[in-house]
Amino acid sequence: MALLAIETSCDETSASVVHEGRILSNAVSSQVALHAEYGGVVPELAAREHLRNLQPMVRAALAESGVPISRIQGVAATRGPGLPSALMAGLKAAQGIAFTLRLPFFGVHHHEAHLYSPWISGNPAQARFDEFEPNVSLIASGGHTILVFVESELKHRVLGATVDDAAGECFDKSGKLMGLPYPAGPHIDRLAAEGNPKAFDFPRPKLSDPDDDFSFSGLKTSVRYCLRDHPGILDDRKGLADFCASVQGAIVDVLVAKTIRAAKRMGVRCVTASGGVSCNGGLRRQLASACARERIKLRLAEKAYCTDNAAMIGVLAERQMILGKDPTPCDADIMPSWELAGTKV
Ligand code: KG4
Ligand code: ZN
């Protein structure tokens, strides 16, 4: 069954065609440049941009896949969580296509799609559910930082989440204080590669707390005070690189330590990571060495599937369908605050 999927939960307009787990296309139009001048995503601008880009992305995804619209057998879209007006644009477009063509429609949970995105691999890309094993999964993005125990396919339980800022928000806000452009995460990543992570001693919030929650707002405040107390430290490239490496080191240390600890406690031999922050070079390296040390298998989402994309929405919808989940009504509404299934323990 060829499935057309649409994702518009934040600032990426994406459409994809998947068929039996294979990603036949994954067209993504990013709005980063549009929002950069405001230092963050402006919801109404995002929604307007989605409306402008949806049709070209759907056309591009269909063309690249080689599957004519007449052979599409199902339509999926992100139903939540996300920015209400942005979600509305993609969900209603997808439902319109499904209704008009009399196809089943599937409304997908955005974070649940991230959870399974590390299983997409290879060239051509394919969802490898045959390789699935129970895992602890880190989802780290601009809006969320969540640790999830994935017991079996489509059965998971949230272990912990950030109690304030997300890891990506901490990268972006710290970067803003340093005068870096939005989103600052990739800039900090690049500069950190040249710097000394021990140059500045930032706190590792909640590192020694026994729970699986995170907190990053205090770290951002430490960054602010450090810059206030040491004017001029960013004036040369070395100072900036050291500062970036130190901030990144603090964020990554916490993410890695808490993920590994949760994996050991839950008794799983596999860790996965996804979401925009999982593109971070330091995080990828540190997770790899910690997992190797603990003899835990690591599945990092490939970078194209770390950030928001419709392929992961299509892959999950198709898997849910195969495992017997019913379609979503064509008039179902958006769910901007949709909690990931499973109770926090
Ligand atoms: O998943 P994503 O594309 O969008 C959502 O927030 O849902 O994540 C975007 C976040 C931003 O905060 C951005 O700064 C961060 O991911 N990010 C990175 C890197 N690439 C993207 N953070 C650190 N290092 C990176 N290389
Ligand atoms: Zn996301």
Side-chain angles (χ1 to χ4, degrees):
M1 164 158 178
L3 208 131
L4 171 68
I6 289 175
E7 151 67 33
T8 62
S9 64
C10 190
D11 59 346
E12 260 99 28
T13 317
S14 180
S16 166
V17 177
V18 302
H19 179 53
E20 291 173 359
R22 270 171 297 140
I23 315 298
L24 302 184
S25 61
N26 184 36
V28 183
S29 167
S30 172
Q31 305 177 6
V32 160
L34 174 73
H35 300 287
E37 70 173 288
Y38 303 97
V41 179
V42 183
E44 293 315 315
L45 285 185
R48 216 178 303 162
E49 199 64 10
H50 285 312
L51 291 176
R52 198 171 294 146
N53 289 331
L54 262 165
Q55 206 180 21
M57 286 302 105
V58 169
R59 280 187 198 283
L62 286 168
E64 194 193 326
S65 72
V67 178
I69 187 87
S70 57
R71 282 194 30 232
I72 293 290
Q73 293 158 295
V75 185
T78 308
R79 195 174 170 195
L83 302 171
S85 50
L87 286 169
M88 186 81 85
L91 185 88
K92 292 299 153 192
Q95 288 173 327
I97 297 170
F99 182 78
T100 310
L101 300 177
R102 298 174 194 275
L103 296 174
F105 169 73
F106 302 90
V108 171
H109 191 292
H110 181 80
H111 296 150
E112 199 173 346
H114 273 305
L115 268 191
Y116 295 95
S117 62
W119 301 94
I120 303 173
S121 64
N123 189 13
Q126 163 100 39
R128 302 306 308 262
F129 286 110
D130 54 327
E131 294 173 4
F132 179 89
E133 57 183 293
N135 61 84
V136 161
S137 188
L138 170 71
I139 306 174
S141 71
H144 301 272
T145 306
I146 316 174
L147 260 186
V148 188
F149 169 46
V150 190
E151 195 178 343
S152 59
E153 275 183 70
L154 310 190
K155 187 162 178 225
H156 45 257
R157 190 174 70 190
V158 174
L159 298 172
T162 182
V163 296
D164 42 51
D165 289 354
E169 210 174 342
C170 188
F171 270 108
D172 296 340
K173 288 179 176 167
S174 301
K176 190 172 180 187
L177 293 168
M178 294 180 231
L180 296 173
Y182 171 87
H187 297 281
I188 293 180
D189 190 3
R190 266 191 299 277
L191 286 157
E194 305 166 22
N196 171 12
K198 295 199 166 70
F200 299 91
D201 187 19
F202 288 114
R204 270 63 176 159
K206 288 184 79 58
L207 185 63
S208 48
D209 288 7
D211 59 46
D212 295 314
D213 287 337
F214 300 95
S215 165
F216 291 106
S217 69
L219 177 54
K220 181 190 64 193
T221 310
S222 302
V223 168
R224 182 190 299 278
Y225 288 157
C226 187
L227 288 172
R228 183 198 63 190
D229 297 341
H230 302 90
I233 51 173
L234 304 182
D235 287 354
D236 60 31
R237 176 120 186 154
K238 167 104 177 67
L240 181 60
D242 283 349
F243 200 82
C244 286
S246 303
V247 172
Q248 178 172 299
I251 299 171
V252 168
D253 277 356
V254 178
L255 292 176
V256 172
K258 298 201 86 161
T259 304
I260 300 292
R261 198 177 61 198
K264 286 167 72 177
R265 197 186 67 245
M266 300 312 291
V268 298
R269 305 308 307 159
C270 179
V271 156
T272 73
S274 61
V277 175
S278 302
C279 289
N280 185 268
L283 177 61
R284 294 176 89 86
R285 277 190 302 277
Q286 249 176 266
L287 268 178
S289 52
C291 284
R293 207 167 42 241
E294 300 293 341
R295 296 182 204 287
I296 291 173
K297 212 177 288 174
L298 175 65
R299 271 196 98 112
L300 294 167
E302 290 180 5
K303 288 190 181 176
Y305 305 109
C306 275
T307 46
D308 291 345
N309 65 90
M312 66 178 187
I313 304 298
V315 159
L316 178 60
E318 193 183 39
R319 198 66 192 158
Q320 287 176 332
M321 217 179 54
I322 289 167
L323 296 177
K325 191 165 174 179
D326 289 333
T328 315
C330 251
D331 59 353
D333 222 339
I334 54 167
M335 294 177 71
S337 309
W338 199 358
E339 293 273 337
L340 192 59
T343 44
K344 192 165 155 312
V345 289

